[in-house]
Amino acid sequence: MSGPTRQRWHRRGGGAALGLLAIATLGVGLGFGRPDVALLGLPLAATAAVTLRRPAGTASTVVEVSAEDDAIVARVQVEGAAGVDFVIVSAGAYEEPPTTVVVSRRQAERLEARLPVLHSGPQEALRVGGQVFAAGGDLVQHLDPRVAHATIAPEQERVAALLLPHRLTNRPGAHPARRLGDGLDFRDLAPFTPGDRLRRIDWRATARSPRPDSELIVRRMDATSEAAAVIVLDSRDDVGSAVVEWGRDRPARKGVASLDLARPAVSAIAASYLEAGDRVAFHDLIRSGASARSGGGRRKLEQIRAVVTQTVPRPDGSPKPPVLPTAAVVYLVSTFLDEDVAALAVLWRSAGHRVVAIDVLPKPSLEGADEEHRLAHRVLQLERADRLERLRRVDVTVVPWQDADRDLLLRQAERDRRRR
C-alpha cells in the first residue's frame, strides 16, 4: 500500500485574466459614464472572485492492491479538497503505458479495477498519477506517481514420485533401507542372538525348527530411514515464453516466465518430501542469503514457500554453490541457458550425490520474431539441448517442469534406480 502524497495548488492564469478584464470593463463604464458597460463588468468580477478563491487544503492520493481469487484488485482513492471540480487520473498496470480518464470528484473518491494475475512473486502492479482541477479548471494540483506492488504466492502443487538419494540417512524415516532395523517390511528368519528383542521371536518358526529346544527363531525386519533433499534455485534468469521479449522483459508481454515455473516447482518438491517425513533444505544459487536450512515439518514448508515467493531475477549475479550434506538428493532448478550451472550438476553428481535437473525454461513462442531472433533462438536451443544431453550421459535426471509427463519421468527414474 502506498501512503498519501501532497503538493501545492498552481494557478493556470485564467482567473487573473478574467479579473483584469472585469476591472477594465468597470473602469471604462465608470470613466465614460456608461452604466450599461459597467454592468457588464459585474458578472465578470463575480466569476473572477470565485475563480481566484483557492480551495481549502490540498488533495491526496492513496493506492492499494490486494490479491483476491485469481485477480489483483486495485483501489485508487483521490481525496480532494473542498471545491474540486474534476480529476484526471492516469494509471498504468504492469509497467505498461498509462490510460487517462476524467472523473468527477465523487467518482475519484473510490476507483477500483481488477487486474489479471500474470506472474508470481514480487511485482509492480499499478502506477497511478494525475491532476486535480478546481476553480473552473484555473487551479491545478499535480499528483506524484504512486506505485503499488503486489506479491503473488506460487500455486500449491505436489510431485507424484519422490526420488531417493543413493544412500539414506541414519535417522528413522518412511523409506525402506538396506539394513536391519525396526521397520515394517519382512527381511528373513534367523537364529536368536543377544540383542534381539523378545517380541521378534517367531514361535511358529521356532516350533518347526529341527532344534526347537535349543534354538529360537526371530523375524528380522528392514530398517526405515529418512531422505535428505536439497533444492537449489538458479535465479539469474526470468525469461518468458515470448522470444522477442527476452531482451526487453516487459511483464505484460513476455508470457509465462521461467520463475513462474520455478517457484511452484520448488514449492511442490519441498511439500512432497516434507509430507513424507523427510528433511528439505532450500538455497538460492545466486543470492546465498536467501536460503532455508535443512529441516522438516509444516513450518519448514511455510518458510521455504515464503523465501521462494520473494525471489526476484538477478541477471548480473554469479553462482555461489552451497555446501551440500552427504547422502542427499539435489534438485537443481534452472533454465540451463548457461554452462556454469550445468557444470555444477556434473560436479555434484561426480561427488556421489543424486542430481535431478528441473528444467523451467518455458515453451518458446516465436510470434513476432524476425529472422535474427529466430536464428539466435535456434542456436541457443541447440547449445542447451547438447548441454542437457551431456547431463543425461553422466546419470543426471532431467525433468522439464512444463512437460505434462513430468510425474511419469520421475516414476521412471525411480524405477531405474531400484533395478540397479
Side-chain angles (χ1 to χ4, degrees), residues 204-346:
R204 291 186 179 181
T206 301
R208 294 194 298 267
S209 173
R211 297 181 296 171
D213 296 334
S214 60
E215 186 178 55
L216 297 175
I217 304 298
V218 296
R219 297 174 61 88
R220 299 197 300 181
M221 314 299 287
D222 283 330
T224 57
S225 295
E226 180 186 73
V230 179
I231 308 172
V232 182
L233 172 62
D234 175 15
S235 62
R236 267 184 303 185
D237 301 320
D238 191 28
V239 295
S241 57
V243 175
V244 294
E245 290 293 326
W246 282 15
R248 306 175 201 170
D249 197 33
R250 291 178 290 188
R253 308 186 188 188
K254 66 180 183 180
V256 177
S258 55
L259 283 182
D260 294 332
L261 298 175
R263 293 187 187 99
V266 171
S267 178
I269 295 169
S272 300
Y273 277 97
L274 290 172
E275 288 179 357
D278 297 319
R279 301 173 67 84
V280 178
F282 170 75
H283 298 278
D284 191 322
L285 188 60
I286 307 303
R287 184 186 174 196
S288 57
S291 62
R293 294 183 178 180
S294 179
R298 183 173 182 81
R299 293 187 64 181
K300 178 57 61 175
L301 175 60
E302 294 175 354
Q303 180 188 7
I304 293 175
R305 283 178 56 84
V307 173
V308 77
T309 298
Q310 296 293 336
T311 301
V312 294
R314 295 176 176 83
D316 300 328
S318 57
K320 301 176 180 63
V323 177
L324 301 179
T326 58
V329 54
V330 183
Y331 285 84
L332 180 55
V333 184
S334 174
T335 59
F336 295 97
L337 292 172
D338 300 301
E339 180 62 34
D340 49 0
V341 178
L344 276 177
V346 175

Side-chain angles (χ1 to χ4, degrees), residues 380-397:
L380 191 65
Q381 287 288 55
L382 289 174
E383 292 177 348
R384 202 180 80 96
D386 180 67
R387 192 173 297 130
L388 294 177
E389 184 57 32
R390 283 189 282 113
L391 291 182
R392 294 186 181 95
R393 288 200 296 266
V394 296
D395 196 26
V396 172
T397 304

Side-chain angles (χ1 to χ4, degrees), residues 180-182 187-203 206 215-221:
L180 294 175
D182 294 328
R187 184 182 184 95
D188 57 14
L189 297 173
F192 182 87
T193 58
D196 288 337
R197 298 185 179 183
L198 297 178
R199 63 185 179 88
R200 293 293 185 188
I201 298 176
D202 190 323
W203 295 106
T206 301
E215 186 178 55
L216 297 175
I217 304 298
V218 296
R219 297 174 61 88
R220 299 197 300 181
M221 314 299 287

